[in-house]
Structures are given as C-alpha cells and as structure tokens.
Amino acid sequence: MNQFLRTTVAGAALALGLGLGLPAFAQDAPKAGGAITITYKDDVATLDPAIGYDWQNWSMIKSLFDALMDYEPGTTNLKPDLAESYEISPDGKVFTFKLRDGVKFHNGRAMTAEDVKYTLDRVTNPETQSPGAGFFGSIAGYEDMASGKVKSLSGVTVPDPKTVRIELSRPDATFLHVMALNFAHIVPKEEVEKYGADFGKHPVGTGAFKLAEWTLGQRLVFEKNADYWNKGVPFLDQITFEIGQEPIVALLRLQKGEVDIPGDGIPPAKFQEVMKDPEQKARVVEGGQLHTGYITMNVKMAPFDDVKVRQAVNMAINKDRIVQIINGRAVPANQPLPPSMPGYVKNLEGYKYDPEAAKKLLAEAGHADGFETELFVMNTDPQPRIAQAIQQDLAAIGIKASIRSLAQANVIEAGGMENGAAMIWSGGMGWIADFPDPSNFYGPILGCAGAVQGGWNWSWYCNEALDKRAAEADAIVDPAKAEERFAAWGAIYSDIMKDAPWVPVFNEQRFTMKSARMVGADNLFVDPVHIPINYDFVSVNDVQ
Amino acid sequence: MALYLLRRLVQAALILLGVSVITFALLYLLPADPVRQIAGRSATVQTVENIRRQLGLDQPFLVQYGRYLLNLLQGDLGRSYLQRSEVAELIVARLPATLLLMAAGILCELVIGIAMGLWAAVRRGTPTDRALMVSSFVGVSAPQFVVGLLLLYVFGVRLGWLPISGYGTAAHLVLPALTLGLLGAGWYARMVRSSMIDVLRQDYIRTARAKGLKGSTVLFRHALPNAILPIVAMIGIDIGIFMSGVVVVESVFGWPGIGQLAWQAIQRVDIPIIMGVTLVSALAIVLGNLLADLIAPFIDPRIKLR
C-alpha cells in the first residue's frame, strides 16, 4: 500500500513536471560555466574526423570540429553551419556553399574554402583509409580518387576564399546530409601534416571545444573554445571523459554524485531498478533512435528462396515478447524504417503475429512438416536470449532452428557470404542510420550494392526494379519536393516488405541518465545525431 | 657466468620468436576479418579492399609475418587498427599502472602468504593450522574475477571503505592488489609452512632455544630467513601467473594497465595491440625467470649456475 501510494504520488508529480515544469525549465536561459564528467568503458579510438566511426567518438568529434552543414540541436533538421548559405543548381548536380566569416581553427588560423577542398580530397584519398570515403561517391572525380589515379577531386573547386563549388556526377538528394557527416568535418592542412598519422590524437578543428588533455587509457579533457564563431556556445567550460569504467560502476558513481552522464547508458541488469525508483527515473530521458533490429532470411538459400516461407516467418514472431525481454527498451517494428525517420509509413499494416496463419502459409509452400535451419546471433547478452525467443516462435510453426551464437565479427563474416547464414538476428549489429534520411536504410542493407561478398545485405535480397526506383527517388534534389521524395521511399520499403526478406522486430529506444545538476531541453540528452548527448548545448545549474 | 647469461639470452630470444609465430598464426587463422572491423558497416566494398591493401592484409601469411618481424626487430610494434596510434606508445602509457599493480600484488601475496604459513607452522596440527590451510586452498582455487567482484561488493559497495574502481590514489590500489595477491598467497602459505616445519626441526634452532632466546627472536631471526629461501625463486615464476591475472583484475577494477588494453583489443580484433601485449608479457615472463635464476645463488650459495 505504502509502495503503491509512493509510486502514484511520484507518478503524478512526474506527470506534472512533464506537463508544466519542463517548458518553464526550457525558458530559463542556460547558465554559462561549470564542468561535467562523463564515463566510458572502452578507450576512445581516434578523434580524426576522417577515420573515427564509432558512437563514442562520433559526438566528441562533432564538438571538436564543424562541417559545412549541421542539424538544429536535438533534431534531424538540416541547417547550414560553417556554410552561411548554399545554392543548388536546377539539375541538382552543382552545390555552391558560401562560407561564414570569422571562423577560426583552434590554432588561430582563419578557415577558408581551401580547407574545405583539402578536407574532401583527404577523406576520399585511399591513403587516408577513411571508412566513410564511399559517402562521397557522388562527387565528380570520385572514381579517379578512389582508384588512386589523381590526388584531388575534380568536382570540388574554389572560385574564391569564401566559396566552395561542388559538382556531382549524378543528382544526389542526400548530399547535404553527407556534408554534415563527421567525415566531412573541416580539418586544417598544416596540423594534419604536422602530426601525420597521429592527427587523431592531436585533433585541431573549429569546434566549440578543444582538446586540453588526453591521458591514454584514463581520461580526456575538453576545454571551451573561447574563440568559437557561434558566440555564447558552448555553455560548459570543461568536459572530462573518464575511461575504463564499467557501466555498473558508472551508475554507482552517478548515484554518489561523482559522474554526470554514464556514457555507456544504464546497464541492462540495473534498468528496472532505476526505472522503479522515482527519484532516479526522473533523471532518465527517453528518446527515439534511428535504429531497427531485424531478422534476415537469406533469399538465396532454400527454403527462404520462397516468399511464402519468409512471410510465414514474419507472422510467426511474437515481437511484443521480444520487447519484454529487453525490459521494454524498444518498440515493435513492422517495416525497415524507424518511426522517427522521414518516409516511415504510419498506416502500414505489416504482418500481424498469427502462428495459425503462418502454419497455413508454410503448408502452402510445401513445408507442412516444417524444416530445419540455423539462426546466427551475436553472443553477448541479451542477444542469445532474444534468439531463444525467436527459436521458440519458429518451433511453434514447425521450423526447427538451431542457434549459432558467435562473436560479432564472426556473425558479420557469415552474413557477408552468399551461403553463409540462413537466418541472422541482427541484435547488437542492427542498423543505426548514419544520417536521418530514408535512403540510408536501403543501399548497404537491402539494395543490390550490399548483396555482395563482404556486404551487409545479409538477406542477399536484390530487386533491380527497386534499385531503379531508389535511384529515381534520390534524384529528386529540390528541397521543395522533399515530401514527394519521402513518399517514394515509403513506397519502396512497403514493397520490400511484400517480398519479406526481413522480419523487422523492434526499434530501440534510447535512455540517457544524467545528474540532477544537468539542465537543458530533453531532446539535447537524446539528440538523434549527437550520442549520448549534445555537448555544445547542455549546461549545469550550480554555477553562479 | 657470462657464458651462462649469453645462453639464457639466446634461449629467451628463441622463446619470444616462437611466441610471435604462434600468436601471429592464431590471429591470422581467426575467422573474423579485421578489415571489416576497421571499415565499419557503411564502407563500400571498394573502401574495404583499399584498406586491406594499405595494411598489407591481402598478402600471404609468410609475407605478413615477415614484415611484422622485420618491423619488430627495429623496435616497431606497428599501429593499432582502430586507434591508429603506435602500439608501443599505447603500451608504454599503460605499463606503469600494470607494474605498480604487480608490485603491490607481489607484496600482498608475500605478506599474507608468509604470515599465514608462519602462523600455521607454529600452530602445527591445531585447528588454527587446519583453518589456515583450508583458506589457502580456497585462495588458490577461487577464480580471480569472483574474488575481485566479491571484494568489490563487500568493501566498495556495502561498506564503502574503498573506491569501487579507478586509478590514482593508494586507496584505489588496495582491492585490485589484494585480488591479485590472494591467489599466490595460498601457494606461499603452504610452502612457508612446510619449509618452516623443516627448519624448526633443525639443531641450530634447538641450540638457539637452549641459549634462552625469546621465542619470537628464534622464529624471526633464526628460522624465517632460512625458511623463505626457496620462495624467492618462486617470485620470478609468479610474474607469468600475474600476467594472466592482470587481464582479469584490471578489467574488473577498471585499472588502466595493459591487461585492460589487451581485453579491449581482443574484443575489437585489433591485432597489432594483441600481438604487442602478448610479446611484452612474454618478455616480462622470460626476464622474470632469468632474474630469479640469477639471484638464487646470491641468496643460497649451494645453488650453482651452469
């Protein structure tokens, strides 16, 4: 009774807080100053924007460097950043960016259009070994760069120090997103040449913070860039990243007030305990994520070459139960795109959970007695438990799936081989969008381009008609026609689901826990682009 | 002596060469492709192949190993695939933490082990003796991650006497050093006990007692120095056992040493780091054994180097 009362009162208070408190909160001008501490378990890899490509260094790089384009804080809305404005030619193939005045690198030198050209030449140069080089494939001259024939992109020119002109070999509606990627963050040539391969340990950018200290294996300290072009930003004077701390330890230290953000999130084992405690729950911010977890069925391997079998599997999976296994930290999915992605089809019916109908469909396909198959899964919790749930669902319609639980790299390896894996549960390796555009869920994981040896299209689904429609959708560059383009993408994903190469299972939610003294609009703490939080715009309330 | 040293050093070099071949071959045979880890999921096939070529991972095994060995002989351990920094730099940055932890661990095991062994020998045959020997047995057999988590929970979380994890102060050192030391302490307790019992039977001990010396003087001045002789040689061998222990202990306590570095590298298939840490550990073990053998004759003149 007591417990009930407490929870109810706290729940009401929380509802009040959400309804009334927060908007008032947001109206308070953030105070400048103060320092926060963020913990991580693993070492920070490189801070070189051309190379860094994990979720830990992704937002760190965003705070040290800037790109021509960016997103409004806490949203997926594109806006010019180091560019002041841009123009797109009517055929969608020439982008002209006008650069902002007064932008300086941390070494004091003013940034010019030559730096933009240098950055793009560097990231596409094979010697840089950038994982993101392929994103720039639509720039004219990319092929010559990639093959090592030339050292400069012919499509990128500098008419004057404040202007960059980029010519594409094909219209590309996603190009402004590409120019907001970390790989397109501007680097100064002299510093890159000075440090060579160690530039990632000595990052020099134009960003809101600069690197003050990096003690290998222990800590990184970011310090406010007083010369930042965007006056008033950032609010914090200093951010300390402490490395080598288990998530569970980070949570204990957060409770003691020693840590402001546990960077690796709330450990699954403690999730329910935290969410049951109103005081702690109030400091957890929940948000959507551009993520989908799915089961792939290899359309080149019998019996999954039969669309009826794939549809039957889609009806057999009890997604609500799987969401329960991960303590409700996700929402069930019925299509490849996550709900917060433009192009998501809200009224798509999808395949409802219906084991009886699934059995019937399986019988129609000539497998009334079921069949045997293999389900590959990554071997870290909770993935094997989810695989067991899938295994039981499949058994209910007569499919005997044996679970192959392997290290992540081995599952990826098997998926990239044509006859490597009949079924894969993508958990722990599921797709998180590189940028908030529907095309980003197609090419590598559902298009023909990814259905190759070593690719990520693990269902080996290749529909050339859809590939053509995808190319047509991405040729709609005019921002005024964006809605038309999103609708075209929505239709593509709906048609993919008719062929059912995947069982879309769930879209993970994000939960960021913060200390009581951290303030800022909720969406800054679950920023879709800056993970875990948007370092530039959050602040603390205990400074004068 | 010089000849002995030379022979041992040649042996050491051969052992290290063997370790490098075996580790390199095992990592080469791993079914996971390191290039895929480096390139990430959005990389095009062209990008993946480019990175493979740049890193020389498209070459046959012998060429790859030959290149590695050639660089190694020049003191170059290569660059981390994912961090892109010099492996030597990463190891050097973390080595002091590991050495500190090992030194503290050795101190722990010696102090605890000798104290337990001594006490048990003096109280031979009593319930105290039996209790001490049972607990030494538990210390030897308990997995270190269990011991570590148990200590962490009791002293860090429940009692709050010591920091849960981290690095920097002496208080941070206590729990990891204790966890590391408890394993060896069990061995030492048993060895000290039996060697103490031997020594206490000797004539000169009886003589000392007969002179009317105090019990504690006999025990600490006359018996103990002779009883601990054989365990000095053990410390060198301990370094090998400790090297495997630090991987576990450093991960449990968030200790920023090379064990934690190795653990992370294994998870991300960062081959140059795995190779580097393995070789450095092997070097430490080989040198530790050599040092123990060299010191032995100074402590016990009956031992001759041949």
Side-chain angles (χ1 to χ4, degrees), chain A residues 364-376:
Chain A
E364 275 177 45
H367 298 285
D369 299 330
F371 56 87
E372 285 182 15
T373 186
E374 283 185 325
L375 173 66
F376 284 68

Side-chain angles (χ1 to χ4, degrees), chain A residues 134 136 143 163 169 171 245 248 299 452 530:
Chain A
F136 302 90
E143 285 308 319
T163 312
S169 54
Q245 310 225 342
I248 190 107
V299 301
V452 290
H530 299 249

Side-chain angles (χ1 to χ4, degrees), chain B residues 31-43:
Chain B
D33 180 356
V35 180
R36 300 282 302 272
Q37 294 276 316
I38 303 164
R41 59 211 170 89
S42 281

Side-chain angles (χ1 to χ4, degrees), chain A residues 355-429:
Chain A
E356 286 312 313
K359 255 191 215 164
K360 217 176 283 171
L361 205 54
L362 211 55
E364 275 177 45
H367 298 285
D369 299 330
F371 56 87
E372 285 182 15
T373 186
E374 283 185 325
L375 173 66
F376 284 68
V377 55
M378 187 174 137
N379 60 6
T380 47
D381 190 71
Q383 313 312 337
R385 286 191 287 136
I386 294 175
Q388 280 166 10
I390 297 171
Q391 186 184 38
Q392 287 166 14
D393 288 341
L394 292 175
I397 64 164
I399 301 173
K400 285 180 266 314
S402 48
I403 293 177
R404 299 279 309 272
S405 176
L406 304 170
Q408 184 187 41
N410 303 39
V411 179
I412 293 172
E413 193 72 12
M417 284 192 295
E418 191 167 334
N419 290 309
M423 297 180 90
I424 301 177
W425 159 239
S426 75
M429 307 160 291

